[in-house]
Amino acid sequence: MQFSHFTDIGLRTIMRLAVDGDTDSRVTTKLIARQVGASEKHVAKAVSRLVDLGLLEAHRGRSGGLFITAAGRAASVGRLIRELEGDRDVVECGEPEPCPFLGACRLRRILADAKKAFYAELDRYSVEELVTSSTGGLLQLLAHPGANGSNERDEIS
């Protein structure tokens, strides 16, 4: 399976926010976009969807920013991807023209079973678990750049 760019940015965004243990730090869409290598527009769309799902909170104003919720930390990776990607079939058997094998095709059933197994495996992991792995170290550097000599957090506008 291949995920959309939107799902990829959504995953990067929530992982970046999950690594911030303290809720006092101000993280903006602009900062996340720089840190995860994506456009601010794409991150903003992903943030909007994650807020709608109750996985992030966005506060406006001088002391505002983006914050991951308890539900966001606990969300399974499988659920998150299903929500961002949509629960589409692996192949579109009826679009734009119906497949001539549609009525008796075993491949369609096999692919559906494989997709179910794929998501079942992803459901075993939470967002929190993603940031406590070796990826967590890299995310910590992104979240706290002063540790490597730079001070990117001061550049927030």
Side-chain angles (χ1 to χ4, degrees):
M1 269 184 94
Q2 184 174 354
F3 299 125
S4 66
H5 185 64
F6 176 76
T7 298
D8 179 33
I9 298 303
L11 289 167
R12 290 188 217 179
T13 298
I14 201 162
M15 288 172 64
R16 166 54 189 86
L17 287 167
V19 79
D20 254 347
D22 57 352
T23 55
D24 293 337
S25 59
R26 182 169 181 247
V27 179
T28 64
T29 300
K30 183 177 183 176
L31 178 62
I32 290 175
R34 260 196 333 259
Q35 291 176 336
V36 303
S39 78
E40 191 173 345
K41 181 180 177 181
H42 285 111
V43 172
K45 285 181 182 179
V47 163
S48 178
R49 180 71 175 126
L50 293 167
V51 167
D52 290 346
L53 293 171
L55 304 176
L56 299 183
E57 288 182 5
H59 300 275
R60 292 183 176 267
R62 185 178 172 123
S63 61
L66 302 171
F67 307 93
I68 190 167
T69 64
R73 287 186 186 284
S76 80
V77 176
R79 173 193 170 220
L80 180 59
I81 292 172
R82 277 190 293 273
E83 293 284 359
L84 294 174
E85 194 66 26
D87 198 17
R88 299 178 302 194
D89 289 331
V90 176
V91 294
E92 297 295 328
C93 299
E95 300 294 329
E97 295 180 27
C99 174
F101 306 130
L102 190 61
C105 182
R106 286 192 62 210
L107 178 62
R108 184 175 174 191
R109 177 83 250 145
I110 292 168
L111 290 173
D113 290 346
K115 181 179 112 176
K116 197 180 295 184
F118 177 75
Y119 280 118
E121 180 64 21
L122 291 174
D123 284 336
R124 294 179 48 213
Y125 303 96
S126 69
V127 169
E128 185 73 37
E129 289 173 297
L130 291 178
V131 300
T132 57
S133 67
S134 58
T135 307
L138 177 59
L139 288 164
Q140 283 289 343
L141 285 175
L142 288 174
H144 306 286
N148 66 0
S150 69
N151 201 1
E152 186 173 325
R153 197 176 281 265
D154 290 343
E155 296 175 21
I156 298 174
S157 52

